[in-house]
Amino acid sequence: MQISKAPVPKYLKDDELTQECKDLLSSLPTEMGWVASTFYKYQGFWHPCRHLQGILSCQKHFEAQDKDTLLVTTPKSGTTWLKALLFTLINRTHFHHSAHNHPLQSNSPHVLVPFLEVKLFLEHENPDLSSFKSPRLFSTHMPYVSLPKSIHDSKCKLVYLCRDPKDTLVSLWFFTNKLRLQEMGSRSLEEAFELFCGGVSMYGPFWDHVLGYWEESLKNPDKVFFLKYEDMKDEPVVHLRKLAEFLGCPFSSEEEKDEVLEGIVELCSFDNLSNLKVNKVGKLPSGEDYSVFFRKGEVGDWKNHLTSEMVERLDRICKEKFEGSGLSF
Ligand code: A3P
């Protein structure tokens, strides 16, 4: 019997790397990867080689513009959701949230708001971004220390989203097991937990990623808006209003009266997005189903997966790491 093999997705391939990236890789510490076999530690954070190539290209070539908005997230913190919300918010004068032909009805949020290093700068070393109309909206998982210089030099704004580390871990474990090639088998939760606690996860250590943006948001609140998944879940309208103010496009009293905020929240809700045909059957150009970005969309699913020992240990680590920062989960 012939077993049909899916082509290896681009993010797992280590060919097509630039010589600069290959030279760098040979000098970096390595660890076991979550999807690709190896992680490399660059500027204090762990990455598979393809993402690292994307980061290097982005650092070299990305030219931020003053009106850009960059959504920065820790993986599995609700990036897909915030992409949908930010796209709808920023483009609301062009596309009414209730229009039957709203772009979200037929496009994945990942198409409407592309990743820099995981998509645009992964596919091309220096992509032509001239087709993106201002105000541009991009996303990234890059840690603060790795952001391209032009982001600091310009007046562009950063919206940062993170999530309770226990839910982040569980979500990441499910997600990466779906992405692993069949011959790699699944990774156990115990193994994933050990790696996560040791800081070895996509764009980890988790706490360093979060603290980098948390501290910057305190120093520079006009530049960095810091948001937690749990808070957004709890009071989506309140946080959407704050986001609009931060981005310089506040809702008018007319819009408030017309319940535009509630409409946007509803359009971008887990139930609505996950049930759209495009998100049920569509695929990213790299081959993954869009549906992998929708699982449960709940706060506290860790209670169904982590043992009490795991919870105690992860809580202890987080308490130590976030001690004195003013941040807790
Ligand atoms: P779970 O695995 O806990 O369900 P990311 O988009 O950063 O990859 O994060 C994915 C997580 O966000 C998944 O969490 C997914 O179900 C959840 N998610 C996706 N869309 C959402 C939405 N519209 N509202 C709330 N959560 C959403």
Side-chain angles (χ1 to χ4, degrees):
M1 191 178 72
Q2 275 239 314
I3 299 175
S4 65
K5 270 184 76 180
V8 177
K10 200 157 184 171
Y11 58 84
L12 287 180
K13 288 186 181 169
D14 53 11
D15 51 359
E16 300 174 34
L17 296 177
T18 59
Q19 193 55 46
E20 182 196 11
C21 186
K22 285 183 191 159
D23 292 345
L24 177 66
L25 288 179
S26 62
S27 69
L28 297 178
T30 58
E31 259 291 355
M32 196 198 300
W34 283 57
V35 179
S37 53
T38 312
F39 268 161
Y40 298 85
K41 196 173 202 180
Y42 175 64
Q43 297 183 325
F45 292 84
W46 293 105
H47 309 286
C49 60
R50 289 291 312 182
H51 290 184
L52 186 50
Q53 170 77 74
I55 293 173
L56 295 178
S57 302
C58 195
Q59 289 179 333
K60 217 171 176 180
H61 299 291
F62 179 62
E63 289 298 334
Q65 297 176 0
D66 288 345
K67 290 205 167 106
D68 285 351
T69 299
L70 195 62
L71 169 64
V72 190
T73 61
T74 46
K76 311 324 290 173
S77 60
T79 316
T80 316
W81 184 23
L82 254 286
K83 282 185 177 191
L85 282 167
L86 285 176
F87 178 87
T88 310
L89 171 68
I90 289 175
N91 294 293
R92 68 188 192 273
T93 51
H94 303 300
F95 310 111
H96 193 266
H97 61 270
S98 65
H100 70 278
N101 60 350
H102 189 280
L104 275 174
Q105 301 289 349
S106 50
N107 295 280
S108 159
H110 292 287
V111 169
L112 299 173
V113 186
F115 279 113
L116 291 176
E117 81 287 5
V118 193
K119 164 84 183 150
L120 298 169
F121 288 84
L122 184 146
E123 290 181 347
H124 299 280
E125 201 202 337
N126 188 6
D128 176 8
L129 304 181
S130 59
S131 63
F132 289 88
K133 300 275 170 293
S134 181
R136 307 183 304 177
L137 177 56
F138 297 114
S139 92
T140 181
H141 291 314
M142 272 185 279
Y144 190 76
V145 288
S146 299
L147 288 177
K149 187 171 172 298
S150 68
I151 290 183
H152 304 294
D153 294 345
S154 74
K155 292 194 182 116
C156 79
K157 302 239 178 191
L158 306 182
V159 173
Y160 184 73
L161 176 72
C162 59
R163 185 180 190 185
D164 181 312
K166 298 190 283 298
D167 276 335
T168 303
L169 162 65
V170 168
S171 185
L172 188 62
W173 174 62
F174 275 107
F175 179 74
T176 49
N177 271 342
K178 279 186 202 150
L179 295 192
R180 283 161 73 89
L181 297 174
Q182 220 173 1
E183 57 264 33
M184 295 170 87
S186 299
R187 184 186 293 296
S188 69
L189 180 56
E190 288 69 24
E191 211 182 344
F193 178 80
E194 284 304 324
L195 287 170
F196 192 88
C197 287
V200 184
S201 59
M202 278 160 88
Y203 296 85
F206 171 87
W207 20 88
D208 292 346
H209 199 285
V210 175
L211 281 172
Y213 286 95
W214 169 249
E215 282 159 9
E216 206 46 41
S217 74
L218 296 180
K219 274 191 248 161
N220 212 344
D222 292 336
K223 178 86 176 175
V224 183
F225 185 95
F226 189 94
L227 189 58
K228 288 184 197 164
Y229 180 92
E230 294 73 26
D231 292 342
M232 195 68 196
K233 270 291 224 190
D234 197 28
E235 292 185 304
V237 167
V238 170
H239 294 288
L240 183 62
R241 188 179 291 120
K242 286 188 186 164
L243 269 174
E245 281 160 15
F246 170 77
L247 295 175
C249 54
F251 288 96
S252 64
S253 43
E254 189 79 354
E255 286 179 306
E256 291 272 358
K257 192 159 65 58
D258 291 345
E259 302 193 345
V260 172
L261 291 93
E262 288 78 1
I264 293 177
V265 165
E266 175 53 29
L267 171 68
C268 301
S269 67
F270 181 86
D271 282 348
N272 187 56
L273 287 187
S274 63
N275 282 309
L276 291 176
K277 190 169 168 214
V278 58
N279 295 322
K280 279 184 152 174
V281 302
K283 281 180 191 291
L284 284 170
S286 46
E288 307 90 61
D289 297 329
Y290 289 143
S291 61
V292 296
F293 294 100
F294 302 94
R295 193 180 62 90
K296 278 193 162 177
E298 287 171 8
V299 171
D301 187 41
W302 56 266
K303 292 182 190 128
N304 299 315
H305 301 282
L306 303 183
T307 64
S308 49
E309 289 77 29
M310 286 172 163
V311 172
E312 230 170 81
R313 187 164 149 213
L314 193 45
D315 280 349
R316 198 175 52 245
I317 294 174
C318 288
K319 198 163 169 266
E320 277 169 30
K321 299 286 182 187
F322 293 120
E323 183 106 67
S325 69
L327 180 65
S328 60
F329 287 92

